Structure formats: structure tokens, C-alpha cells
């Protein structure tokens, strides 16, 4: 049969081991949270690059329309010459309409207007009411255990918010990449048409 002193030693040992375990758990949780934050930052930076690429494509689209206008004028001036280049800049292709048509823009606006999560968003979760552990020794070690577990709970809530925002951003970028791919399908026609205008004006 255990003596009171032996029981106290066992309680002291288990308390120390539990405290060490909560410290490790807190450390792992904080490292995981930092990884999540870094990943979200990198994802947002990637999104900015995609936005810049799409902006440049939009500028090319303006140039494409201007080229189309010049080609129409050339076709009127050279109506006796049969040249397919005068009639194709890519603005009438299915790929162009998918990338820049009204339907594509409407889908883009709908995606941009979708609500997204935010870092730290609880998503319906909240901090537990009252203490997490049942105190036995009622000393500073158990106070630290409580603090560690509350910190882990906060990190898990934050990670849930990060995961929600990452999911929304990935969906947005996937749709944007698909739109960019469709917009680029007709660029070979644009290059041919631009070379015709250049040769006509400067050759």
C-alpha cells in the first residue's frame, strides 16, 4: 500500500510530466501556426503576381482591339486583296470570348464578391468556458498548464481561420488561372495580325 509520501511523489512526478507535455504541445502548435501564416503570405504574394499577369493581359486586350480596328481599315483599303490575316486577330474566337466575354467577367465579379475567411476568424468556434484542466495540486505548475492549453486552443482557432482563407484564395486563383489560360489561347492570332500591321506601316 502506498504511503502518503509515496503518493505525493507520484503526484509531483505526473504533474511535472504533464507540464512538460503541455509545453511541447504549445511549442508545436505555435510552429504550426507560423507555417500557416507564412504559407498564407506566400499564397497572397502569388495572387498578386497573377493579378499583375491578368492586368497585363487586359492591356494586351486593349491593344488587340486597336489592332483589330487597324486591320478592318486595312481590309477596306485593300479590299481587292484576299488575306486571311486581315480578318483574324483572335477577338472573335471562342477562347477570346471565354477569357474576355461578358460571361467571363460576370463569373469573375461573382468570385470576387464571395465572402472570404480571415486570419483569426473562429468560424463558429470559441474559447472554452472556464478552466481546461481540473487542478489537483493548485500550484503554479497547473496555472502554467492552463495557460499553455488556452494558448493551444487559440492557435487552433486561428489555424481554422487561416485554412478557410487559404481555401477561398486557392479557389479564386484556380479560377483566375483557368481564365488566363483561355485568354492566352488566341494570342498566336494576335501576333500574326500585329506583324501584318507592322509590315504594312513600316516595311
Amino acid at each position: 500500500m502506498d504511503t502518503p509520501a509515496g503518493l505525493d511523489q507520484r503526484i509531483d512526478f505526473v504533474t511535472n510530466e504533464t507540464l512538460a507535455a503541455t509545453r511541447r504541445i504549445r511549442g508545436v502548435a505555435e510552429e504550426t501556426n507560423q507555417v500557416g501564416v507564412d504559407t498564407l503570405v506566400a499564397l497572397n504574394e502569388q495572387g498578386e503576381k497573377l493579378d499583375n499577369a491578368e492586368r497585363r493581359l487586359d492591356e494586351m486586350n486593349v491593344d488587340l482591339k486597336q489592332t483589330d480596328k487597324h486591320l478592318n481599315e486595312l481590309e477596306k483599303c485593300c479590299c481587292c486583296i484576299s488575306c486571311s490575316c486581315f480578318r483574324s486577330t483572335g477577338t472573335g474566337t471562342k477562347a477570346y470570348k471565354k477569357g474576355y466575354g461578358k460571361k467571363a467577367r460576370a463569373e469573375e465579379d461573382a468570385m470576387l464578391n464571395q465572402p472570404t475567411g480571415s486570419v483569426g476568424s473562429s468560424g463558429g468556434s470559441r474559447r472554452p468556458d472556464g478552466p481546461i484542466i481540473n487542478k489537483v495540486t493548485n500550484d503554479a505548475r497547473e496555472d502554467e498548464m492552463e495557460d499553455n492549453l488556452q494558448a493551444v486552443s487559440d492557435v487552433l482557432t486561428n489555424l481554422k481561420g487561416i485554412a478557410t482563407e487559404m481555401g477561398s484564395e486557392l479557389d479564386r486563383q484556380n479560377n483566375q488561372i483557368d481564365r488566363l489560360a483561355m485568354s492566352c489561347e488566341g494570342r498566336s492570332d494576335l501576333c500574326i495580325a500585329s506583324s501584318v500591321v507592322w509590315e504594312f506601316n513600316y516595311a
Side-chain angles (χ1 to χ4, degrees):
M1 185 174 181
D2 292 330
T3 63
L7 289 174
D8 289 340
Q9 289 180 351
R10 289 179 58 187
I11 292 173
D12 189 62
F13 175 79
V14 171
T15 301
N16 288 334
E17 289 295 311
T18 305
L19 175 60
T22 60
R23 287 172 177 171
R24 291 192 298 271
I25 294 171
R26 181 173 183 172
V28 171
E30 290 175 346
E31 290 176 4
T32 304
N33 184 71
Q34 188 59 49
V35 171
V37 171
D38 293 342
T39 303
L40 184 58
V41 169
L43 189 61
N44 288 333
E45 291 175 352
Q46 176 177 285
E48 291 177 1
K49 293 178 181 178
L50 286 173
D51 291 340
N52 291 334
E54 187 166 28
R55 191 178 303 112
R56 288 193 291 270
L57 277 178
D58 288 340
E59 294 171 355
M60 291 177 63
N61 178 47
V62 174
D63 294 338
L64 176 59
K65 290 182 178 180
Q66 189 68 25
T67 300
D68 208 15
K69 179 181 178 182
H70 290 323
L71 289 177
N72 288 332
E73 293 175 355
L74 286 174
E75 187 176 12
K76 292 177 182 179
C77 296
C78 307
C79 58
C80 59
I81 301 176
S82 177
C83 181
S84 61
C85 294
F86 288 166
R87 297 187 294 274
S88 177
T89 62
T91 57
T93 63
K94 182 183 294 186
Y96 180 89
K97 291 179 180 179
K98 283 184 178 180
Y100 288 103
K102 293 181 179 180
K103 183 178 180 181
R105 292 309 182 191
E107 291 174 352
E108 179 183 2
D109 293 339
M111 177 60 63
L112 291 175
N113 291 330
Q114 285 183 356
T116 59
S118 58
V119 177
S121 173
S122 64
S125 301
R126 60 193 184 98
R127 201 171 190 179
D129 294 329
I132 296 178
I133 66 171
N134 295 320
K135 294 185 177 182
V136 177
T137 61
N138 201 29
D139 58 14
R141 293 174 299 179
E142 290 183 332
D143 291 338
E144 185 180 348
M145 290 182 208
E146 182 70 26
D147 290 341
N148 290 338
L149 294 179
Q150 291 286 1
V152 170
S153 176
D154 291 341
V155 167
L156 292 176
T157 299
N158 194 58
L159 284 173
K160 184 176 181 179
I162 291 175
T164 300
E165 186 168 354
M166 287 177 64
S168 298
E169 180 64 15
L170 284 171
D171 288 340
R172 185 189 75 84
Q173 290 187 21
N174 285 334
N175 288 335
Q176 188 175 30
I177 290 171
D178 290 340
R179 189 168 61 250
L180 288 171
M182 289 186 294
S183 300
C184 291
E185 287 181 5
R187 291 308 172 193
S188 58
D189 292 334
L190 171 60
C191 294
I192 294 173
S194 298
S195 64
V196 170
V197 175
W198 177 268
E199 291 178 2
F200 185 86
N201 288 323
Y202 302 105

